[in-house]
């Protein structure tokens, strides 16, 4: 009767505890034990402590933001730094999820390999038992204990010589599986930590954005009326060029923004000849109220507005027989969208099949269009800095299906225009941004 028992033990050791769980009797209703009551009290206390900690964190954050007052430079610095932190952690989470997927696949392969070697493991364990070694009970569910058992037996010479090679091979596979499981556990812990961090940063970012918009609203008395009029005007035009012209001609705040953009472009072009070639440090001044450099001089310096994978490029097929006029980036739900350049908002709201649309006048006849977000957090006439948070993605595609390969996935559409004509944005992206985007 011993051999069948060893077989059952072996199958359980390789495949896990699922069989034991399946065969366990159904739980029966019983009185709540004092230990269970104590555990629930501890859980309740932990929940109260967590709530108190969250409230204290919120109060501290509110105090910090209030201390910024009307200091626009500090507020801009906080906004851009926090948005950069959010996007950096979003990238780490994405990379960790990819690694975990690969590691989990490898673990499954190793488990399948061990499962296929049951006969060898049975023989080795049978030899151990014949030598008087007792199999530890934990062997039923833990590969770590199976590995320890084999190693101990080999050190003590309990494995007969003809089985030593097979035992060493099995021990090697089990050792690799144990190490892999530790790596997976560490990756999961780091992923959980990163998710907690991004939630904290997103809370902070939301509060900062609210404060920015509160200050903007106090400066723009007719903000709501302007936004409502912009939506009305947008329904009177059928294309993007018509929308831009309509906004900058008929809407007071957009017209002022266009005028400032034109003046800033003239000044930037006058300085460009005297200044050295601009670099990444060009955008460090958070107190600026006009673009740091002329848009035409920003080639190779601009960051992508969102973390994502490029699914369509400028000049490629748009999927319906036409040519793509911008780029499309597939993103994660809720991803943070930041401005790729300095500029004035000349439109912010829904438009046709683009979902939520944001149009920036970057000066010098250049406009940047960003579409497909679920929520935009800036207003018409507002000046925004490179890297400043302006929107968030939704959970599904907000643009027409021709802009996305998968309508269930959020997609951000970005288009650059010069004097009304779409142009290739490729030369403007920073080199490291091109490496991040995978087609």
């Amino acid at each position: 009767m011993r051999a069948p028992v060893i077989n059952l033990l072996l199958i359980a050791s390789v495949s896990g505890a699922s069989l034991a769980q399946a065969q366990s009797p159904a739980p029966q209703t019983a009185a709540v034990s004092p230990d269970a009551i104590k555990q629930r009290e501890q859980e309740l206390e932990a929940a109260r402590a967590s709530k108190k900690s969250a409230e204290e964190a919120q109060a501290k954050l509110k105090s910090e933001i209030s201390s910024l007052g009307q200091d626009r430079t500090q507020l801009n610095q906080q906004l851009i730094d926090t948005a950069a932190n959010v996007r950096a952690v979003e990238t780490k989470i994405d990379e960790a999820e990819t690694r975990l997927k690969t590691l989990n696949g490898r673990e499954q392969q190793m488990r399948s390999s061990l499962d296929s070697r049951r006969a060898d493991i049975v023989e080795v364990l049978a030899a151990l038992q014949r030598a008087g070694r007792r199999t530890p009970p934990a062997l039923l569910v833990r590969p770590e204990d199976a590995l320890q058992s084999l190693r101990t037996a080999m050190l003590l010479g309990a494995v007969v010589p003809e089985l030593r090679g097979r035992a060493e091979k099995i021990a090697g596979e089990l050792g690799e599986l144990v190490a892999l499981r530790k790596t997976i556990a560490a990756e999961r812990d780091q992923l959980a930590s990163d998710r907690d961090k991004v939630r904290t940063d997103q809370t902070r970012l939301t509060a900062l954005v609210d404060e920015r918009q509160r200050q903007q609203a106090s400066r723009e008395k007719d903000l709501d009326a302007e936004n409502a009029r912009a939506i009305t005007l947008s329904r009177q035009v059928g294309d993007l060029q018509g929308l831009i012209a309509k906004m900058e001609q008929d809407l007071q705040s957009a017209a002022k923004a266009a005028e400032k953009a034109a003046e800033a472009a003239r000044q930037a072009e006058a300085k460009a000849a005297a200044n050295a070639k601009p670099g990444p440090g060009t955008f460090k001044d958070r107190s600026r109220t006009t673009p740091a450099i002329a848009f035409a001089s920003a080639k190779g310096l601009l960051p992508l507005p969102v973390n994502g994978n490029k699914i369509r490029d400028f000049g490629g097929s748009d999927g319906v027989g036409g040519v793509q006029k911008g780029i499309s980036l597939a993103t994660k739900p809720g991803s943070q969208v930041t401005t790729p350049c300095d500029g004035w908002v000349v439109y912010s709201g829904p438009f046709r099949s683009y979902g939520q649309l944001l149009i920036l006048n970057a000066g010098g006849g250049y406009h940047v269009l960003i579409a497909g977000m679920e929520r935009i957090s800036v207003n018409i006439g507002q000046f925004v800095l490179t890297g400043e948070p302006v929107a968030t993605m939704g959970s599904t595609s907000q643009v027409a299906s021709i802009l996305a390969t998968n309508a269930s996935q959020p997609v951000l559409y970005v288009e650059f225009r010069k004097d009304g004509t779409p142009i290739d944005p490729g030369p403007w992206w920073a080199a490291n941004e091109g490496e991040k985007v995978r087609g």
Side-chain angles (χ1 to χ4, degrees), residues 394-410:
S395 57
T396 58
S397 177
Q398 303 290 314
V399 296
S401 59
I402 61 170
L403 299 179
T405 56
N406 183 353
S408 65
Q409 185 175 21

Side-chain angles (χ1 to χ4, degrees), residues 382-393:
Q382 192 169 340
F383 178 72
V384 290
L385 305 178
T386 302
E388 191 170 341
V390 291
T392 52
M393 301 299 293

Side-chain angles (χ1 to χ4, degrees), residues 122-204:
V122 165
E123 281 195 66
V124 172
L125 293 180
L128 288 178
Q129 193 172 57
R130 285 195 298 271
R133 313 302 308 173
R134 293 187 63 189
T135 302
L139 182 61
L140 286 170
V141 294
R142 284 172 53 86
E144 292 87 347
D145 293 306
L147 174 62
Q148 184 61 40
S149 179
L150 283 171
R151 283 176 173 169
T152 301
M154 286 188 287
L155 285 172
L156 297 176
V159 181
V160 292
E162 60 268 24
L163 291 178
R164 176 172 290 275
R166 288 155 70 183
E168 287 175 345
K169 185 173 182 180
I170 293 168
E173 291 183 16
L174 284 168
E176 189 178 349
L177 178 57
V178 169
L180 183 61
R181 288 179 61 171
K182 288 180 179 177
T183 301
I184 290 173
E187 284 280 358
R188 284 177 176 158
D189 289 345
Q190 184 60 52
L191 183 59
S193 174
D194 287 340
R195 283 176 172 155
D196 287 342
K197 186 177 187 307
V198 82
R199 279 193 289 268
T200 300
D201 284 344
Q202 284 171 337
T203 299
R204 180 178 185 81

Side-chain angles (χ1 to χ4, degrees), residues 17 31 59 93 96 110-111 135 176 179-180 202 204 225 232 253 257 259 318 336 346 358 360 363 365 385:
I93 290 172
M110 293 181 68
R111 285 186 174 278
T135 302
E176 189 178 349
L180 183 61
Q202 284 171 337
R204 180 178 185 81
T232 301
S253 55
E259 184 179 341
D318 65 1
Q336 182 65 52
V346 294
L358 181 66
L360 303 178
L385 305 178

Side-chain angles (χ1 to χ4, degrees), residues 31-65:
V32 179
S33 68
D35 287 343
I37 294 174
K38 184 177 180 181
Q39 182 180 354
R40 290 178 185 176
E41 289 175 347
Q42 290 173 342
E43 290 172 353
L44 181 59
E45 185 61 32
R48 287 172 179 160
S50 178
K51 181 182 178 182
K52 182 180 179 181
S53 177
E55 289 172 347
E56 290 173 350
Q58 285 281 3
K60 182 180 178 183
L61 176 58
K62 186 176 180 179
S63 175
E64 287 178 8
I65 293 175

